[in-house]
């Protein structure tokens, strides 16, 4: 059986070495198995043969048996076309050809019976069809077709006669040779309980279903299998990690307790307290913590990071906190240094713009254990950054960091891996979190600190400019501050900068005497820091910037956010940006300014923002609009390539898959029982599996 699936595609009749190379380079298909798992994206319904008299012209496709009348040329030269009429017993429809006319004239024979297929159109009340597919019809040899699969193809493949349908002929040929039994990794009791069809039936039916329901069942079964195997791997490797990766035991809590008692600037929300308990229980366990802390913008993740760093200090060990931008690293530094000062936590900052002299002394202090918490950007990953004893790595706004970077932080401690706490404000829909972060434990802060008023969001267009300005004016008169943000699109940095500068100028003119800040990616980092600091202190009233302010910046007094060219932003980014306001007790506002004419998708994005402040709801919409590929930086990391399941729409199947994986691994962790045998075999040969069952036991 394995031989069948592993046979090289070139040995399939009708392929040969030349097409085999194309299959490889264009579609990544090397073997019979690869082609069998190349699924059609739609089916042509050839299950019925219609009668011309019943047609409405609105059908997606029609299939008729009949014959042509005379082929009548019309037009001249390159505009030459052919017209004819196609008759069955019940009547006729018009047929047109606009290209390949000479060939049609020669090959299509009036008076011969054809099977005709195509999409009808309605023109001035009569039904016609252009360029139908034709096949000679012979009542004796005719085999009724059902649903004909259509595969996506490429220009190159099409030039070699491998179009979306001819791939189907190859698949059909292969299916004729499919072994009569093929091993099925899904245990019998799951199949029964979920009424899943066998793998063999699924493979056959997904390509050539007898009905659309059969195709649906085949898809459901194959999606389940894909997600089920994935979940088994994730859950299993999480179990192995837990068992195999020791972690520093955190047992003392003196400083933490003191800070809690005397210096905590506010009462923690219940959600924050809950998360602290989850973290502490990991840190005591003796195994390495790998935890993802998810909390909407403004939910208060920073204090969690700080309290956890205090715990590390209590064990006489060090913490590093890595932020994605310099601005954010600065802000964390300022805030945590202030907190730290109250309790004797020594905080330092290391970024790309730290001077050579400062860097040298920081690195020395770090090695000697004179620094408890080091805050920085990517610069922290560099090899020369060595700690005395690093026991905790905190990564803020995780979506900007790749998995590989995370792993490099792990190696910063000689003997034992540091605990890892990843914090993200990108609310990840549950289905995605279950899948992408199966290897991390999940903590969620699902409430905002008390007294926050939901941000009021409105949509405006360029025509509302005067109103927008007078609104900002009022906010400033009431003592508030405002952001005006312009999109930054990598490819057209210059253009965006121009938008930003034009905007800055018109704001300067509209607000004479009001101190302004400006911030963009091409400024030197000390200039950025200076502008940011002025705004934080309230010396400037309006911050005109690109999206560099997006991540994490916290200025509670800023209660107005104007997003220019809002249609150019993705949902996740809009939500992040809006999260910069609504941090104090004042009512906050977000104005999304766009041009008048919007694509439907842009409309959906803006409407979603206007309708809700709930990051999880927004993430769900985002997932539906964009698909899971782009979210959470997963695309670059290539962690997950799904063939058939779609995380945006197959959440229910995923949850079943997770439930069953957990059940099976709980009952039979080694998968050594008879009924799990083919499942285990499948996991061992599964491509790209880095999953080593032999490590166990
Ligand atoms: P984020 O989760 O987006 O990183 P921050 O940690 O920056 O949020 O917190 C947002 C703001 O809320 C900060 O000004 C912070 O001091 C404040 N904050 C955090 N937790 C609480 C709380 N429990 N009660 C009141 N304010 C809080
Ligand atoms: Mg933050």
């Amino acid at each position: 059986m394995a031989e069948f699936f592993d046979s090289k595609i070139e040995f399939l009749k009708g392929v040969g070495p030349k097409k085999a190379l194309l299959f490889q380079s264009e579609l990544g298909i090397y073997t019979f198995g690869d082609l069998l798992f190349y699924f059609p994206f739609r089916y042509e319904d050839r299950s019925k043969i219609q009668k011309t008299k019943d047609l409405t012209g609105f059908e997606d496709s029609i299939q008729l048996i009949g014959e042509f009348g005379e082929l009548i040329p019309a037009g001249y030269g390159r505009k030459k076309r052919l017209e004819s009429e196609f008759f069955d017993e019940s009547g006729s429809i018009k047929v047109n050809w606009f290209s390949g006319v000479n060939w049609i004239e020669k090959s299509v024979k009036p008076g011969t019976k054809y099977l005709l297929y195509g999409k009808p159109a309605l023109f001035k009340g009569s039904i016609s069809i252009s360029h139908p597919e034709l096949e000679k019809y012979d009542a004796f040899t005719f085999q009724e077709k059902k649903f004909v699969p259509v595969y996506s193809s490429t220009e190159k493949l099409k030039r070699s006669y491998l179009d979306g349908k001819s791939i189907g002929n190859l698949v059909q040929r292969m299916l004729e040779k499919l072994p009569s039994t093929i091993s099925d990794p899904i245990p019998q009791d799951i199949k029964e309980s979920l009424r899943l069809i066998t793998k063999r039936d699924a493979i056959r039916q997904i390509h050539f279903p007898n009905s659309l329901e059969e195709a649906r069942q085949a898809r459901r079964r194959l999606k389940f299998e894909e997600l089920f195997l994935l979940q088994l791997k994730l859950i299993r490797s999480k179990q192995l990690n837990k068992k195999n990766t020791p972690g520093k035991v955190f047992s003392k809590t003196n400083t933490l307790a003191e800070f809690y008692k005397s210096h905590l600037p506010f009462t923690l929300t219940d959600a924050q307290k809950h998360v602290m308990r989850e973290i502490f229980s990991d840190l005591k366990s003796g195994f390495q913590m790998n935890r993802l802390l998810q909390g909407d913008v403004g939910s208060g993740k920073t204090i969690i990071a700080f309290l956890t760093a205090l715990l590390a200090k209590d064990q006489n060990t060090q913490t590093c906190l890595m932020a994605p931008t310099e601005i954010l690293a600065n802000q964390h530094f300022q805030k945590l240094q202030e907190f730290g000062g109250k309790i004797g936590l020594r905080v330092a900052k290391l970024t790309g713009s730290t001077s050579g002299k400062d860097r040298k002394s920081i690195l020395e202090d770090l090695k000697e254990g004179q620094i408890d918490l080091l805050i920085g950007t990517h610069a922290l990953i560099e090899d020369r950054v060595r700690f005395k004893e690093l026991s905790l790595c905190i990564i803020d706004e995780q979506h900007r960091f790749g998995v590989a970077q995370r792993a490099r932080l792990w190696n910063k401690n000689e003997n034992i891996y540091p605990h890892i706490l990843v914090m993200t404000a990108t609310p990840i829909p549950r289905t995605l979190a279950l899948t992408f972060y199966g290897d991390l434990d999940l903590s969620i802060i699902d409430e905002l600190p008390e007294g926050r008023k939901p941000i009021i969001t409105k949509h405006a267009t360029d025509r509302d400019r005067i109103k927008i300005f007078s609104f900002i004016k009022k906010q400033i008169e009431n003592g508030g501050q405002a952001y005006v943000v312009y999109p930054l699109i990598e490819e057209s940095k210059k253009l965006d900068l121009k938008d930003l500068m034009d905007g800055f100028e018109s704001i300067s003119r509209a607000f004479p005497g009001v101190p302004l800040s400006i911030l963009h990616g091409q400024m030197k980092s000390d200039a950025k820091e200076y502008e940011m600091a002025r705004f934080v202190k309230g010396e400037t009233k309006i911050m005109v910037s690109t999206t560099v302010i997006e991540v994490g910046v916290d200025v509670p007094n800023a209660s107005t956010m104007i997003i220019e060219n809002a249609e150019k932003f993705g949902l996740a980014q809009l939500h992040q940006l809006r999260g910069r306001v609504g941090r104090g007790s004042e009512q906050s506002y977000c104005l999304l300014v766009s041009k008048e004419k919007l694509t439907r998708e842009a409309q959906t994005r803006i409407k979603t923002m206007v309708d809700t402040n709930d990051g999880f709801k927004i993430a769900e919409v985002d997932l539906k609009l964009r698909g899971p590929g782009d979210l959470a930086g997963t695309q670059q990391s290539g962690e997950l390539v799904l063939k058939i399941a779609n995380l945006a729409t197959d959440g229910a199947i995923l949850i079943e898959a997770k439930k069953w994986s957990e059940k099976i691994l709980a009952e039979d962790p080694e998968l050594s029982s008879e009924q799990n045998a083919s499942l285990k075999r499948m996991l061992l040969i599964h491509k790209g599996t880095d999953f080593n069952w032999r490590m166990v036991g």
Side-chain angles (χ1 to χ4, degrees):
M1 179 202 82
E3 274 167 41
F4 176 79
F5 284 103
D6 292 337
S7 307
K8 292 221 171 73
I9 194 72
E10 88 172 83
F11 300 124
L12 182 66
K13 197 162 164 261
V15 178
K18 222 181 110 209
K19 286 183 180 169
L21 279 178
L22 277 176
F23 263 126
Q24 290 173 17
S25 62
E26 293 292 290
L27 302 176
I29 292 173
Y30 291 80
T31 62
F32 283 25
D34 292 340
L35 183 56
L36 276 185
F37 282 84
Y38 189 67
F39 302 128
F41 68 93
R42 66 179 179 92
Y43 305 92
E44 282 181 352
D45 182 357
R46 309 288 289 253
S47 61
K48 289 181 283 285
I49 289 169
Q50 282 99 332
K51 297 238 175 317
T52 48
K53 75 167 166 37
D54 300 330
L55 299 179
T56 62
F58 293 110
E59 291 84 358
D60 281 334
S61 65
I62 54 170
Q63 189 167 231
L64 303 169
I65 293 171
E67 47 195 68
F68 287 98
E70 205 186 337
L71 302 183
I72 303 160
Y76 292 98
R78 292 172 64 208
K79 287 245 171 97
K80 189 175 168 190
R81 57 197 159 84
L82 270 185
E83 294 173 358
S84 183
E85 215 162 330
F86 190 77
F87 295 89
D88 64 6
E89 301 119 46
S90 71
S92 71
I93 62 167
K94 291 205 162 58
V95 179
N96 303 300
W97 288 274
F98 303 99
S99 63
V101 166
N102 293 339
W103 189 79
I104 297 288
E105 250 178 331
K106 263 183 250 155
S107 56
V108 172
K109 304 262 181 300
T112 302
K113 277 224 154 42
Y114 286 97
L115 179 71
L116 171 149
Y117 175 85
K119 184 171 169 45
L122 209 51
F123 186 65
K124 289 190 179 156
S126 71
I127 298 173
S128 69
I129 191 162
S130 302
H131 291 276
E133 278 177 39
L134 296 174
E135 221 171 276
K136 287 224 169 93
Y137 173 78
D138 177 340
F140 293 104
T141 57
F142 179 65
Q143 272 197 333
E144 199 185 319
K145 294 181 192 170
K146 304 250 158 85
F147 288 83
V148 178
V150 184
Y151 302 81
S152 49
S153 180
T154 66
E155 282 312 311
K156 267 195 183 162
L157 285 169
K158 282 180 195 156
R159 266 182 260 134
S160 297
Y161 306 105
L162 289 171
D163 64 18
K165 274 204 205 167
S166 51
I167 293 175
N169 297 335
L170 295 175
V171 173
Q172 187 161 31
R173 211 167 281 160
M174 195 164 41
L175 282 174
E176 282 159 14
K177 297 203 201 125
L178 192 67
S180 58
T181 54
I182 70 173
S183 131
D184 190 333
I186 300 187
Q188 193 56 31
D189 56 335
I190 301 186
K191 274 201 295 251
E192 276 164 23
S193 164
L194 296 177
R195 299 211 205 129
L196 297 172
I197 60 178
T198 65
K199 182 156 189 172
R200 190 174 192 282
D201 285 345
I203 290 176
R204 227 177 26 74
Q205 288 178 22
I206 196 168
H207 293 287
F208 292 96
N210 286 315
S211 64
L212 291 180
E213 176 57 20
E214 271 195 18
R216 203 183 68 80
Q217 289 303 340
R219 282 185 182 272
R220 181 168 161 263
R221 144 77 213 215
L222 293 168
K223 285 174 174 182
F224 180 84
E225 176 172 326
E226 183 168 51
L227 295 171
F228 176 62
L229 294 177
L230 185 73
Q231 283 300 316
L232 278 169
K233 283 198 280 176
L234 287 170
I235 295 169
R236 183 62 178 163
S237 70
K238 192 149 112 184
Q239 285 174 350
L240 288 181
N241 269 340
K242 278 235 163 87
K243 273 201 205 139
N244 287 314
T245 317
K248 173 96 184 164
V249 179
F250 280 29
S251 50
K252 304 195 196 81
T253 59
N254 326 13
T255 353
L256 177 74
E258 198 198 322
F259 187 83
Y260 228 96
K261 216 169 58 200
S262 326
H263 305 290
L264 201 61
F266 35 65
T267 340
L268 295 186
T269 61
D270 287 344
Q272 285 170 319
K273 286 183 198 155
H274 181 72
V275 166
M276 276 315 293
R277 279 196 292 275
E278 286 177 329
I279 290 174
F280 191 49
S281 117
D282 282 358
L283 297 175
K284 291 193 295 200
S285 72
F287 297 108
Q288 188 203 18
M289 172 170 79
N290 271 291
R291 190 166 278 282
L292 177 69
L293 172 56
Q294 232 187 66
D296 211 342
V297 282
S299 62
K301 296 182 292 294
T302 317
I303 189 75
I304 303 288
F306 179 76
L307 296 174
T308 312
L310 283 185
L311 273 172
K313 181 182 165 60
D314 274 330
Q315 325 307 316
N316 240 327
T317 59
Q318 296 161 294
T319 300
C320 72
L321 167 60
M322 189 155 79
T325 63
E326 192 141 347
I327 291 183
L328 193 58
N330 283 335
Q331 186 181 294
H332 279 322
F333 177 65
Q334 272 157 22
K335 189 148 226 173
L336 299 189
Q337 199 182 32
E338 180 197 320
F339 287 169
K342 297 180 179 157
I343 195 87
L345 184 88
R346 295 160 299 181
V347 187
K349 182 183 77 178
L350 187 69
T351 68
S353 57
T354 307
S355 74
K357 200 169 118 250
D358 290 349
R359 175 179 303 265
K360 194 153 163 275
S361 83
I362 289 173
L363 290 180
E364 264 164 32
D365 287 351
L366 198 60
K367 235 188 283 170
E368 282 163 21
Q370 302 294 322
I371 292 170
D372 300 311
L373 169 60
L374 182 65
I375 298 174
T377 52
H378 285 76
L380 296 185
I381 303 183
E382 290 171 19
D383 285 333
R384 56 185 168 166
V385 180
R386 307 294 324 173
F387 294 78
K388 179 154 182 251
E389 189 182 352
L390 176 70
S391 71
L392 174 65
C393 291
I394 304 173
I395 304 173
D396 195 14
E397 310 295 350
Q398 184 266 349
H399 57 292
R400 300 288 175 95
F401 284 104
V403 172
Q405 287 170 322
R406 230 202 284 164
R408 277 184 70 185
L409 276 174
W410 285 34
N411 293 318
K412 289 235 171 258
N413 208 29
E414 313 267 309
N415 309 315
I416 199 166
Y417 286 139
H419 297 290
I420 306 276
L421 180 64
V422 175
M423 306 197 295
T424 174
T426 311
I428 301 160
R430 224 182 118 66
T431 50
L432 272 189
L434 283 176
T435 314
F436 287 119
Y437 300 110
D439 62 329
L440 298 177
D441 293 302
L442 186 62
S443 286
I444 298 179
I445 306 186
D446 54 5
E447 66 181 317
L448 296 179
E450 241 176 82
R452 298 273 173 84
K453 298 196 180 80
I455 301 161
I456 295 174
T457 303
K458 295 261 195 260
H459 180 204
T461 66
D462 295 323
R463 283 204 301 199
D464 304 317
R465 192 61 57 194
I466 294 169
K467 271 197 236 158
I468 296 170
F469 280 169
S470 71
F471 179 75
I472 300 177
K473 203 165 266 164
K474 214 170 81 202
Q475 293 301 310
I476 294 173
E477 279 163 14
N478 293 338
Q481 289 167 282
Y483 295 101
V484 181
V485 179
Y486 289 83
L488 179 122
I489 305 162
E490 284 303 321
E491 305 92 75
S492 62
K493 269 189 183 139
K494 287 220 176 85
L495 203 122
D496 292 323
L497 201 56
K498 187 176 176 307
D499 274 2
L500 177 79
M501 290 308 181
D502 290 351
F504 184 75
E505 254 186 56
S506 74
I507 291 170
S508 309
R509 262 182 272 118
F511 295 89
V514 174
L516 310 178
S517 276
I518 186 165
L519 203 62
H520 58 80
Q522 306 195 346
M523 283 159 61
K524 290 241 167 60
S525 69
D526 46 353
K528 276 194 244 175
E529 212 169 302
Y530 173 76
E531 287 293 336
M532 195 64 218
R534 290 208 307 153
F535 188 66
V536 171
K537 282 186 227 145
E539 290 169 13
T540 54
K541 299 298 172 191
I542 303 177
M543 166 61 84
V544 184
S545 87
T546 57
T547 49
V548 283
I549 61 125
E550 173 190 345
V551 177
V553 170
D554 183 30
V555 183
N557 191 46
S559 56
T560 303
M561 167 66 64
I562 317 284
I563 303 178
E564 295 285 346
N565 303 332
E567 73 275 13
K568 291 192 185 168
F569 290 90
L571 259 180
Q573 216 180 6
L574 287 173
H575 180 63
Q576 281 283 326
L577 284 169
R578 181 171 59 181
R580 297 310 113 218
V581 298
R583 304 192 142 230
S585 47
E586 291 300 305
Q587 177 63 55
S588 292
Y589 300 90
C590 174
L591 287 182
L592 304 171
V593 187
S594 75
K595 55 181 190 197
E596 312 243 331
K597 254 201 160 157
L598 296 175
T599 64
R600 181 172 300 183
E601 211 191 295
Q603 278 171 24
T604 306
R605 287 196 299 262
I606 289 178
K607 182 171 178 341
T608 305
M609 288 296 294
V610 171
D611 288 349
T612 183
N613 274 297
D614 181 337
F616 284 89
K617 281 203 190 119
I618 291 171
E620 296 283 351
V621 177
D622 200 26
L623 182 63
K624 294 227 164 83
L625 288 179
R626 297 199 299 166
D630 299 347
L631 285 180
T634 44
Q635 207 149 53
Q636 307 93 296
S637 63
E639 275 176 291
L640 191 65
V641 183
L642 291 174
K643 271 209 154 78
I644 180 163
N646 177 345
L647 293 177
T649 49
D650 297 328
I653 301 179
L654 177 65
I655 285 165
E656 280 298 332
K658 179 164 192 281
K659 198 180 91 190
W660 282 98
S661 312
E662 280 165 353
K663 183 163 180 288
I664 283 195
L665 287 174
E667 288 165 2
D668 181 12
E670 313 296 324
L671 299 185
S672 46
S673 72
E674 184 61 30
Q675 81 148 335
N676 292 332
S678 45
L679 178 57
K680 182 165 187 169
R681 217 173 316 120
M682 184 73 178
L683 282 167
L684 285 170
I685 58 171
H686 211 250
K687 266 192 207 152
T689 277
D690 50 356
F691 181 38
N692 191 351
W693 294 85
R694 274 148 300 194
M695 268 168 72
V696 197

